C-alpha cells in the first residue's frame, strides 16, 4: 500500500461512522480541475480607444496633473490595469516602429537613452483633442515642441493572468496583472477552496458513484448520483445522498422521464425536507402535502439514501443548501444547475462532463468533441459564475485516479 492509499484510508477512518459504513468500494484520490468562466474562455474582449501623448521626463508630473483636471478621478481610475506612463523602450514593437518613422524628432526619442515618456491621456470619447493639445503646449519644456497626440486601442478589462498581461503588453500597451481575476473567482479563492476539499473529495465522489450504480440496478433511473455534505471547522457531515429516479413513473412522464427526479433535484429536496422536519418538530405540526403523485420522488428509495435521510441536518437554521458542497457523477443539466444556484450551494464537483446538455461548463457544448459526430449543443453557459446571476459558486471537474470506473450514459441525456 503506497503513501497515497494510506492517506485516503486515514482520512476515511476520521469520518463519522455512517460514512465509513456507507463506503464499500476502493477509494482513491483524484484530480480537481477548476472550471473556467464564460468570460475567461471568450476571446472577444472589449477594447476602447484612448489618447496618448509624450512629454520630457521633467514635464510628466505637470502633464498628468493637467490631465486630471480635464477628467474626473473616476475616469482616470478606469484603466488600473494599464501603466499610465511608459518609456519609449517599453512600447509594443508596432507602436515603436510607427512612431519612430513619423519624424526626425521621434527617431531621436526612440534612439539610445531617452529623456521622454509616453502618457495615457484618457478615453478618446471623453477628451477634446484640441483642448488637450493647447493645455500641453503651455507646460514648461513643451514650448516650441510639436504636441504629440495619438489614438490607440486598449483592452477595457484587466488581464486574468501574468501571461495575458504580457501578451497585451505586446499587442496594445504595457499592462499590469494585479493578482486578481475580473472574469471569475479570485485565484487565491480557487486555491484555498481546492485545498479545503482535495483530501476527502474522493470519498464523497465514491458515495455518489455507489448510489448511481444502485439506482440503475434497481431500474429507478440513469447511472447518476449526488452526494451533499457540510464542511465546517475541519469537520464534514454528510447531509444527503440521492440517485437518479427519472424512470420511476414511466406512465406519468414523457420519453425523457421525470425531470424533477434528477439526482440533483432529489438531493436538494431531501435537504429541504430535513429542514422542514426540524421546523415541524419545533412547531409540533406535520402538514400532509396534497399531490396527485410525488413528482420530486424525494423520499428515500435506496437503503443508503434512507440511512442518510434519517440523520438530522447539521445546521437546521440555515437557508436550504447555503454553503454546502455537492458531489456529482455527471455535470448537471441547465435546470439542475439553476436549482443548485437558487439553493445557494457553495461548491460543486462533478466527474463526467455532459458536452451537449451540461449547464456548468463554459466551453462550447459538443463543438469538436470526437465522440459526438459533429453534434452541437451551442455555447457553454458556465452557470456557476455569471455576472447577471445573483449567486456564484466554485465548481470543479474531478478526474479519477483510476480505480473508479466511468459511468457511461448517452451524451445527449440531461443529467
Amino acid at each position: 500500500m503506497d503513501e497515497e492509499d494510506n492517506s485516503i484510508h486515514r482520512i476515511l477512518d476520521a469520518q463519522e461512522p455512517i460514512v465509513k459504513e456507507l463506503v464499500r468500494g476502493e477509494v482513491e484520490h483524484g484530480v480537481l480541475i477548476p472550471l473556467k468562466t464564460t468570460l475567461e474562455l471568450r476571446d472577444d474582449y472589449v477594447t476602447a480607444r484612448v489618447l496618448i501623448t509624450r512629454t520630457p521626463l521633467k514635464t510628466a508630473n505637470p502633464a498628468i496633473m493637467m490631465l486630471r483636471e480635464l477628467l474626473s478621478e473616476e475616469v482616470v481610475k478606469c484603466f488600473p490595469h494599464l501603466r499610465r506612463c511608459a518609456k519609449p523602450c517599453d512600447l509594443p514593437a508596432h507602436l515603436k516602429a510607427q512612431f519612430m518613422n513619423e519624424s526626425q524628432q521621434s527617431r531621436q526619442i526612440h534612439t539610445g537613452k531617452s529623456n521622454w515618456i509616453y502618457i495615457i491621456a484618457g478615453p478618446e470619447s471623453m477628451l477634446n483633442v484640441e483642448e488637450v493639445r493647447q493645455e500641453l503646449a503651455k507646460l514648461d519644456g513643451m514650448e516650441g515642441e510639436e504636441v504629440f497626440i495619438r489614438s490607440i486601442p486598449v483592452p477595457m478589462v484587466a488581464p486574468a493572468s501574468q501571461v495575458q498581461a504580457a501578451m497585451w503588453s505586446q499587442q496594445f500597451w504595457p499592462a499590469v496583472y494585479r493578482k486578481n481575476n475580473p472574469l471569475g473567482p479570485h485565484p487565491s479563492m480557487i486555491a484555498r477552496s481546492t485545498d479545503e476539499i482535495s483530501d476527502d473529495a474522493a470519498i464523497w465522489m465514491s458515495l455518489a458513484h455507489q448510489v448511481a450504480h444502485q439506482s440503475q440496478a434497481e431500474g429507478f433511473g440513469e447511472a447518476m448520483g449526488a452526494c451533499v455534505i457540510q464542511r465546517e471547522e475541519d469537520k464534514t457531515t454528510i447531509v444527503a445522498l440521492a440517485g437518479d429516479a427519472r424512470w420511476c413513473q414511466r406512465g406519468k412522464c414523457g420519453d425523457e422521464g421525470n425531470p424533477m427526479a434528477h439526482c440533483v433535484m432529489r438531493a436538494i429536496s431531501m435537504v429541504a425536507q430535513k429542514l422542514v422536519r426540524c421546523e415541524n418538530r419545533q412547531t409540533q405540526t406535520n402538514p400532509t402535502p396534497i399531490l396527485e403523485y410525488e413528482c420530486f420522488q424525494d423520499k428515500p428509495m435506496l437503503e443508503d439514501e434512507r440511512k442518510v435521510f434519517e440523520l438530522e441536518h447539521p445546521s437546521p437554521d440555515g437557508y436550504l443548501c447555503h454553503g454546502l458542497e455537492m458531489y456529482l457523477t455527471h455535470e448537471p443539466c441547465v435546470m439542475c444547475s439553476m436549482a443548485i444556484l437558487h439553493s445557494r450551494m457553495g461548491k460543486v464537483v462533478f466527474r463526467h462532463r455532459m458536452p451537449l446538455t451540461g449547464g456548468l461548463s463554459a466551453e462550447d457544448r459538443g463543438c469538436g468533441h470526437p465522440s459526438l459526430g459533429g453534434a452541437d449543443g451551442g455555447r457553454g453557459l458556465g452557470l456557476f459564475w455569471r455576472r447577471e446571476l445573483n449567486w456564484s459558486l466554485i465548481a470543479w471537474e474531478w478526474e479519477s485516479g483510476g480505480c473508479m470506473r466511468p459511468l457511461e450514459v448517452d451524451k445527449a441525456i440531461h443529467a
Side-chain angles (χ1 to χ4, degrees):
M1 185 179 290
D2 58 26
E3 184 178 343
E4 183 176 298
D5 291 334
N6 280 321
S7 169
I8 193 65
H9 282 92
R10 285 197 303 270
I11 294 168
L12 181 57
D13 288 341
Q15 300 298 323
E16 296 179 312
I18 182 64
V19 175
K20 290 185 280 188
E21 177 186 344
L22 289 170
V23 176
R24 301 183 186 92
E26 286 296 317
V27 180
E28 185 180 27
H29 282 302
V31 179
L32 289 163
I33 305 170
L35 296 191
K36 295 290 187 181
T37 69
T38 53
L39 292 174
E40 287 174 319
L41 292 174
R42 302 295 184 251
D43 293 330
D44 51 347
Y45 50 80
V46 179
T47 61
R49 301 197 73 85
V50 297
L51 296 180
I52 63 171
T53 185
R54 67 187 177 205
T55 69
L57 284 172
K58 64 179 181 180
T59 312
N61 282 336
I64 291 173
M65 295 302 294
M66 179 274 294
L67 291 169
R68 284 178 177 170
E69 293 178 3
L70 296 179
L71 290 175
S72 66
E73 190 67 18
E74 290 72 20
V75 176
V76 173
K77 292 179 179 179
C78 71
F79 298 105
H81 56 289
L82 301 176
R83 296 201 180 278
R84 186 71 189 271
C85 302
K87 296 177 182 178
C89 60
D90 293 331
L91 293 183
H94 68 283
L95 292 182
K96 287 182 191 176
Q98 175 186 336
F99 299 156
M100 278 184 68
N101 295 319
E102 287 184 346
S103 66
Q104 180 66 34
Q105 181 194 34
S106 292
R107 195 169 295 109
Q108 291 175 350
I109 289 174
H110 285 268
T111 303
K113 186 176 180 180
S114 177
N115 63 345
W116 285 70
I117 195 164
Y118 285 87
I119 302 171
I120 291 181
E124 183 178 12
S125 60
M126 304 184 70
L127 288 170
N128 183 302
V129 177
E130 286 307 314
E131 183 182 8
V132 174
R133 195 185 305 275
Q134 291 172 11
E135 293 298 323
L136 286 171
K138 298 176 183 177
L139 298 176
D140 292 339
M142 296 293 288
E143 301 91 342
E145 298 284 353
E146 179 184 355
V147 176
F148 175 94
I149 296 179
R150 298 293 184 272
S151 172
I152 63 169
V154 294
M156 289 292 290
V157 295
S161 66
Q162 188 65 53
V163 173
Q164 192 172 47
M167 289 175 57
W168 286 0
S169 295
Q170 295 174 358
Q171 291 177 278
F172 301 103
W173 180 269
V176 181
Y177 173 56
R178 301 191 182 276
K179 295 186 178 180
N180 62 0
N181 184 5
L183 311 179
H186 194 282
S188 64
M189 181 193 300
I190 295 176
R192 184 172 62 251
S193 298
T194 302
D195 288 342
E196 286 176 357
I197 71 174
S198 59
D199 286 344
D200 58 12
I203 295 173
W204 317 118
M205 190 61 72
S206 175
L207 290 177
H209 268 247
Q210 274 186 204
V211 78
H213 280 297
Q214 293 168 5
S215 186
Q216 183 187 44
E218 294 291 337
F220 295 153
E222 298 291 330
M224 299 173 177
C227 178
V228 179
I229 70 162
Q230 175 176 286
R231 190 182 304 274
E232 220 172 40
E233 297 178 356
D234 298 326
K235 178 186 177 184
T236 52
T237 306
I238 188 167
V239 182
L241 193 61
D244 186 80
R246 69 186 67 200
W247 302 123
C248 277
Q249 307 226 8
R250 288 180 182 270
K252 297 181 180 180
C253 302
D255 295 337
E256 300 293 330
N258 180 6
M260 306 308 292
H262 290 187
C263 61
V264 169
M265 303 298 287
R266 294 188 69 225
I268 292 174
S269 187
M270 287 179 181
V271 175
Q273 285 191 75
K274 287 190 172 188
L275 295 174
V276 172
R277 186 171 67 198
C278 180
E279 182 180 346
N280 289 344
R281 190 179 297 117
Q282 292 174 350
T283 59
Q284 297 184 347
T285 58
N286 188 22
T288 302
I290 304 173
L291 296 172
E292 184 177 341
Y293 78 103
E294 289 288 342
C295 60
F296 285 98
Q297 294 295 311
D298 53 7
K299 294 293 189 291
M301 303 174 70
L302 301 167
E303 182 62 18
D304 286 354
E305 291 179 352
R306 182 191 61 77
K307 290 177 180 178
V308 177
F309 186 75
E310 289 178 351
L311 301 173
E312 294 303 321
H313 195 297
S315 300
D317 297 327
Y319 172 79
L320 199 47
C321 298
H322 188 276
L324 301 185
E325 299 172 14
M326 177 174 275
Y327 294 80
L328 302 166
T329 57
H330 295 79
E331 179 185 1
C333 66
V334 175
M335 176 192 71
C336 289
S337 297
M338 289 305 298
I340 289 170
L341 287 173
H342 286 307
S343 71
R344 298 299 188 260
M345 199 73 67
K347 301 180 180 74
V348 174
V349 182
F350 64 81
R351 181 182 180 188
H352 298 293
R353 287 202 183 212
M354 297 300 287
L356 289 177
T357 62
L360 292 183
S361 298
E363 287 83 357
D364 289 348
R365 300 192 290 182
C367 182
H369 199 285
S371 66
L372 299 178
D376 187 2
R379 302 196 82 175
L381 300 178
L383 293 174
F384 75 100
W385 193 283
R386 293 188 68 117
R387 290 175 177 174
E388 62 269 34
L389 299 177
N390 64 357
W391 185 256
S392 299
L393 51 87
I394 304 179
W396 295 262
E397 181 180 4
W398 188 82
E399 287 190 356
S400 170
C403 75
M404 200 176 294
R405 296 180 61 185
L407 292 171
E408 298 294 342
V409 299
D410 185 346
K411 294 293 192 298
I413 204 167
H414 292 260

